[in-house]
Amino acid sequence: EAGVAQSPRYKIIEKRQSVAFWCNPISGHATLYWYQQILGQGPKLLIQFQNNGVVDDSQLPKDRFSAERLKGVDSTLKIQPAKLEDSAVYLCASSLDGRRGNTGELFFGEGSRLTVL
Amino acid sequence: GDSVTQMEGPVTLSEEAFLTINCTYTATGYPSLFWYVQYPGEGLQLLLKATKADDKGSNKGFEATYRKETTSFHLEKGSVQVSDSAVYFCALYFRGGTLGRLYFGRGTQLTVWP
C-alpha cells in the first residue's frame, strides 16, 4: 500500500514570496490533515479535511495560508506571502473516516521543509 | 484545554540501557493516547497506542501504560538499541462530537551510542 506522498521535499524562498505544497493521501482515507512542525516543537494542526470539506481550520493563519482539497483526494497548502516565522516542516497526514472509528491513528508523509530567508 | 507535556531532551544513552520518556496530559473526558516516532529523514509513524485507562500499548520492545490516576503515559524500553535513535512524540486524541483532534507534545530526541 502506497503511503502519503508529499512534494516538494525542500523549498527555499525569500520572505514575501509564495509557495505551495502538495499532498496525496493513502487511497481510501477520507480525512486529510496539514500540520506545521517548527524546529524543536511538536506538530501543530493547521487544517483538517473530511473528504473535500473543511472540518477544522481554527489554527490556520487565514491571512496568508490557504488549503484546498477540491476532489476529496489530494490537497494543496499555499502560503502567500511568506514570513520568516513560516520556516518549518509541513506535514500531511491522512486517516480513515474521522467521523467514526478513527481513534487518532494518522499516517504521515515525509514532510516538506520550508526555509524562508 | 487539552494538552500534552513531554519530558525535554535530548536523551543520550548507551546501547542496552533502560529508557524512560515521561509524558503527562491534561484533558477533559477520556482521550486516546499515542507515542509517535520520527526516525532521521522519515515521516512520523505510530509506535504504540492505548485507548482507555489501564491499557498497555506495546511495539518493538517499547511499552506505555495509560494511567488515568496520574494522567500519564510514560514510554519505556528495557534495552535500547542504536536503531532506536529518533525523536519520540507523545500525543493525545480527543473526540468532541464528530470532530477529533490529535495534540502532540514537543518531542524528545533520543540518541543511543554503541
Side-chain angles (χ1 to χ4, degrees):
Chain A
E1 177 183 80
V4 176
Q6 288 189 247
S7 67
R9 289 292 308 276
Y10 305 93
K11 188 73 176 180
I12 301 173
I13 61 173
E14 295 186 350
K15 60 183 179 183
R16 291 188 290 275
Q17 288 186 323
S18 63
V19 62
F21 301 112
W22 173 83
C23 172
N24 192 27
I26 291 173
S27 177
H29 280 191
T31 310
L32 185 147
Y33 313 77
W34 283 102
Y35 282 84
Q36 179 192 56
Q37 185 179 10
I38 294 173
L39 186 66
Q41 299 181 19
K44 181 186 83 170
L45 180 68
L46 292 175
I47 189 167
Q48 179 178 339
F49 292 92
Q50 182 72 22
N51 295 309
N52 61 350
V54 176
V55 296
D56 186 355
D57 64 356
S58 57
Q59 299 190 90
L60 186 73
K62 298 180 185 64
D63 57 334
R64 298 183 301 103
F65 286 65
S66 64
E68 59 183 16
R69 193 185 184 198
L70 293 176
K71 297 182 180 179
V73 181
D74 57 347
S75 175
T76 302
L77 175 71
K78 296 180 181 179
I79 307 174
Q80 181 179 13
K83 292 186 174 182
L84 297 178
E85 58 261 36
D86 298 332
S87 294
V89 177
Y90 291 86
L91 299 169
C92 180
S94 69
S95 68
L96 294 171
D97 191 341
R99 290 169 298 180
R100 58 182 184 274
N102 182 11
T103 57
E105 182 170 358
L106 275 59
F107 296 82
F108 285 84
E110 293 179 331
S112 295
R113 182 179 296 275
L114 173 66
T115 302
V116 182
L117 303 176
Chain B
D2 297 344
S3 69
V4 176
T5 302
Q6 190 173 339
M7 171 177 147
E8 291 193 20
V11 174
T12 303
L13 295 172
S14 298
E15 206 165 26
E16 299 183 3
F18 183 84
L19 169 72
T20 300
I21 301 178
N22 290 339
C23 173
T24 57
Y25 68 89
T26 302
T28 55
Y30 304 97
S32 297
L33 299 173
F34 300 80
W35 279 99
Y36 278 80
V37 60
Q38 189 171 30
Y39 298 104
E42 299 184 16
L44 279 159
Q45 57 187 272
L46 179 66
L47 179 61
L48 54 84
K49 67 179 181 182
T51 57
K52 61 182 188 296
D54 299 324
D55 269 2
K56 177 186 283 188
S58 61
N59 187 24
K60 298 181 180 180
F62 291 88
E63 293 183 339
T65 301
Y66 189 159
R67 302 282 189 201
K68 191 170 184 294
E69 63 276 13
T70 54
T71 61
S72 65
F73 193 56
H74 304 322
L75 181 68
E76 296 182 338
K77 186 173 185 181
S79 177
V80 294
Q81 305 300 312
V82 173
S83 57
D84 294 327
S85 296
V87 182
Y88 293 82
F89 292 91
C90 186
L92 173 159
Y93 181 82
F94 185 73
R95 179 184 294 275
T98 60
L99 181 65
R101 182 185 284 186
L102 190 63
Y103 298 86
F104 285 91
R106 296 173 65 92
T108 301
Q109 171 78 54
L110 170 66
T111 302
V112 181
W113 295 99

